């Protein structure tokens, strides 16, 4: 994978070049699983991670393997924030635990949940409503559902506030899989449709006829009589403009005749009880069309002929369709419910939840082992009352809890949160993982463990690490040789911005001290731009190296070059050749501190900026800071007549120069003491032979600003 960066923007954090980045704009993951962006504090590393996280106000344009992505595209990366934004380990147990049994358990649980959700909230709801007109908990169809258990399930599913939530899933599975299904009965679709549409109504003719006991007396004749009278009223209303009877052609007064028929129908209705009225009303006005059961004719014939067999045959047919309704509903309900492999999945799930959950994957075993070795409380897996697996630290479920509530040290909190963020990232669907400053506050033990975790956990991903810590680069390299591409991330107005690839030669001298020493013994010769400047820029390193090798005489001579009040000339070529090689230097250089103070700092160029640009920058910065240190010491010693035999160290010289509590002296003292640590850090390598760290942690712009401030202050004394 290659990422080409065209645009990065977040407020005014990034220099203008990042609005249309033309060079130093490619990150190459093709042959390396990790890319490290090294940048000093203040470069914008965290802001870059927030841009890739698509935070509000962020903008970017990236090309990944030929496809363009912007802040409006789907997320391209899973972001692991720095420790300041990792207060809570967010997520569920399954986001982190990767053991096959646990993974299978959660897959089965999710499958079961999805199946029940699909059944109870969609499929069965649709079947009940569309095919059987059951859309609420209490319906007239309840009396047709002959199985009490299924009736309870149907009622809960039909309740739109519950949708099956009250159903015991174990009982449901047992019930639907134990039900025996018979073949679907024969039926007439139009009759079933009529039956369902009529039966759901409050004034159902089917229910009315089924409940009425026909005795065929004069009262029942009123049903037919009322139908006839109502038919006559309807005809008279429809043809109220005629003057002659439509049947016999006799003259009639329609209005008079209509009044007579209305009066007759009212008299007839007054003689009927409520059930008779209900049947008559339904037959006369509200009988569904088409009348699939031929109810009107069969009831009329039965009453006129006083023949109950017509009614009995009708009731038999009604009862048949009641049975058809129930059999079809049961068949569709059971078929839909058993189509999701509920029984098989549930049996497999029950077997898994009966076993004690254990850590299985290599990654989580590593975390368990390290935490259990380091903490007084062990990390473990426990089940809650709902058989959910919980990650526990001691007796505390630590997921989604604030770190400060876990009673751990800051280092333990950071390790726990970062380790589990790495596990979550491993499960992410994103191929690219971005880590913002992952080991900034850890001790050496935690750093080593996390370097292992980063490479191990994210082995199947492409990982972009943003850091200002060269220790992390070394730890990653020592865990897995040649696992990373290193880029220098610069974001300073007026400088060479972007992501500059550090070549493998320079990577080797950054990571391995012996490679740097070998460079000084031979290949550095062709890289030297100014031999004298080169020797002075390497002087602090040589002094530390002499101390390590026990070369006290040479160390003391080099010390003379590192104090601005010393005027003794030192043969620095001789010392270099004793330490490294006599084939590198072409001249014999004798230099004093006083001579260095008089150099033109605008022309510092110890190395060519070609094969080793990072080293060239480092030595230029180191020389600049040595130059500044010498100037500070020389000016203070001469201006304030400091006895260097009594006050030979920079801090002593500063305090001796600005004794007392006068406001101006306090200001000077604070100013120079605030610069003292950095001035010294560039010049002492006895405890750490990493020549790169301090020099590359400051930009050219920041260094120039520091230089001008110090020189201006000295000039004003």
């Amino acid at each position: 994978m290659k990422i080409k960066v065209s645009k990065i923007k977040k407020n005014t954090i990034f220099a203008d070049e990042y609005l249309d980045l033309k060079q130093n704009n490619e990150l190459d993951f093709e042959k390396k699983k990790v890319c490290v962006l090294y940048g000093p504090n203040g470069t914008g590393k965290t802001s870059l991670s927030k841009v890739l996280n698509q935070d509000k106000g962020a903008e970017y344009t990236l090309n990944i393997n030929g496809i363009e992505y912007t802040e409006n595209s789907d997320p391209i990366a899973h972001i692991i924030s720095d420790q300041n934004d990792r207060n809570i380990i967010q997520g569920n147990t399954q986001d982190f635990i990767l053991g096959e049994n646990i993974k299978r358990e959660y897959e089965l649980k999710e499958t079961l949940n999805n199946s029940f959700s699909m059944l109870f909230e969609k499929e069965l709801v649709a079947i009940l409503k569309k095919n059987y007109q059951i859309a609420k908990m209490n319906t007239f169809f309840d009396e047709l559902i002959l199985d009490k258990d299924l009736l309870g399930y149907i009622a809960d599913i039909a309740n739109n506030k519950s949708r099956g939530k009250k159903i015991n899933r174990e009982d449901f599975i047992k019930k639907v899989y134990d039900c025996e299904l018979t073949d679907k009965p024969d039926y007439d679709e139009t009759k079933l449709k009529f039956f369902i549409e009529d039966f759901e109504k409050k004034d159902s003719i089917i229910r009315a006829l089924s409940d009425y006991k026909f005795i065929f007396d004069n009262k029942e004749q009123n049903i037919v009589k009322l139908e006839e009278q109502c038919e006559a009223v309807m005809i008279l209303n429809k043809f109220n403009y005629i003057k002659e009877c439509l049947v016999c052609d006799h003259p009639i007064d329609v209005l008079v005749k209509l009044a007579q028929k209305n009066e007759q129908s009212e008299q007839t209705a007054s003689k009927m009880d409520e059930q008779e009225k209900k049947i008559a009303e339904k037959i006369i006005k509200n009988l569904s069309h088409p009348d699939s059961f031929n109810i009107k004719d069969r009831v009329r014939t039965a009453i006129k002929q006083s023949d109950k067999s017509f009614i009995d045959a009708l009731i038999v047919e009604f009862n048949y369709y009641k049975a058809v309704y129930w059999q079809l509903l049961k068949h569709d309900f059971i078929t839909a419910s058993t189509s999701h492999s509920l029984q098989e999945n549930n049996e497999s799930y029950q077997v898994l939840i009966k076993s004690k959950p254990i850590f299985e994957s290599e990654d989580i075993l590593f975390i368990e082992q390290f935490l259990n070795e380091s903490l007084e409380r062990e990390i473990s897996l426990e089940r809650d009352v709902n058989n959910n697996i919980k990650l526990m630290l001691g007796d505390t479920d630590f997921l989604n809890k604030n770190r400060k509530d876990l009673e751990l040290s800051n280092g333990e909190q950071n390790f726990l949160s970062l380790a589990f963020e790495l596990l979550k990232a491993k499960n992410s669907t994103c191929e690219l993982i971005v880590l913002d400053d992952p080991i900034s506050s850890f001790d050496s033990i935690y750093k080593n463990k996390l370097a292992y975790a980063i490479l191990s956990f994210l082995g199947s991903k492409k990982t972009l690490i943003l850091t200002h810590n060269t220790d992390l680069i070394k730890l990653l390299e020592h865990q897995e040789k040649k696992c990373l591409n290193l880029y220098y991330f610069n974001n300073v107005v007026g400088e060479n911005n972007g992501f500059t690839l550090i070549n493998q030669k320079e990577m080797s001298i950054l990571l391995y001290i012996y490679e740097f020493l070998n460079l000084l013994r031979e290949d550095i010769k062709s890289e030297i731009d100014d031999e004298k400047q080169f020797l002075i820029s390497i002087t602090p390193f040589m002094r530390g190296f002499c101390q390590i090798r026990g070369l006290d005489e040479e160390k003391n001579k080099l010390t003379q070059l590192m104090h601005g009040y010393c005027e003794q000339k030192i043969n620095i070529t001789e010392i270099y050749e004793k330490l490294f090689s006599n084939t590198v230097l072409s001249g014999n250089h004798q230099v004093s501190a006083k001579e260095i103070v008089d150099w033109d700092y605008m022309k510092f160029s110890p190395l060519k900026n070609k094969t080793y640009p990072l080293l060239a920058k480092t030595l230029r910065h180191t020389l600049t800071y040595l130059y500044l240190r010498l100037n500070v010491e020389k000016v203070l010693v001469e201006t304030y007549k400091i006895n260097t035999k009594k006050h030979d160290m920079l801090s002593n010289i500063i305090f001796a120069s600005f004794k007392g509590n006068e406001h101006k002296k306090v200001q000077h003292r604070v100013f120079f003491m605030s610069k003292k640590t950095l001035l010294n850090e560039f010049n002492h390598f006895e405890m750490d032979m990493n020549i790169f760290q301090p020099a590359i942690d400051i930009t050219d712009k920041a260094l120039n600003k520091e230089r001008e401030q110090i020189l201006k202050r000295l000039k004003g004394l």
Side-chain angles (χ1 to χ4, degrees), residues 82-124:
D82 65 12
Q83 65 187 45
N84 295 322
D85 290 332
R86 290 201 310 270
N87 289 324
I88 297 174
I89 305 174
Q90 295 180 326
N92 300 310
T93 303
Q94 63 267 34
D95 296 331
F96 306 97
I97 306 303
L98 306 176
E100 287 303 315
N101 281 346
I102 294 174
K103 183 179 179 182
R104 176 62 178 154
E105 178 179 328
Y106 273 96
E107 286 175 350
L108 286 169
K109 184 175 183 178
E110 185 177 7
T111 299
L112 285 166
N113 285 338
N114 290 340
S115 296
F116 278 112
S117 178
M118 182 66 69
L119 271 173
F120 292 166
E121 297 174 24
K122 294 181 180 178
E123 291 180 8
L124 291 177

Side-chain angles (χ1 to χ4, degrees), residues 13 20 33 54 106 124 130 143 192 247 261 281 307 321 405 466 470 484 497 504 543 585 613 638 647 656 658 684 717:
I13 292 171
D20 186 18
K33 65 175 76 172
Q54 299 180 332
Y106 273 96
L124 291 177
K130 181 180 179 182
E143 64 186 81
L192 179 63
V247 178
K261 289 298 178 183
E281 183 77 11
D307 188 345
Y321 276 88
D405 297 330
L466 314 174
T470 56
L484 60 88
N497 290 320
Q504 287 301 313
R543 180 182 179 277
L585 303 174
E638 291 179 354
H647 305 290
F658 306 109
H684 290 276
L717 292 177

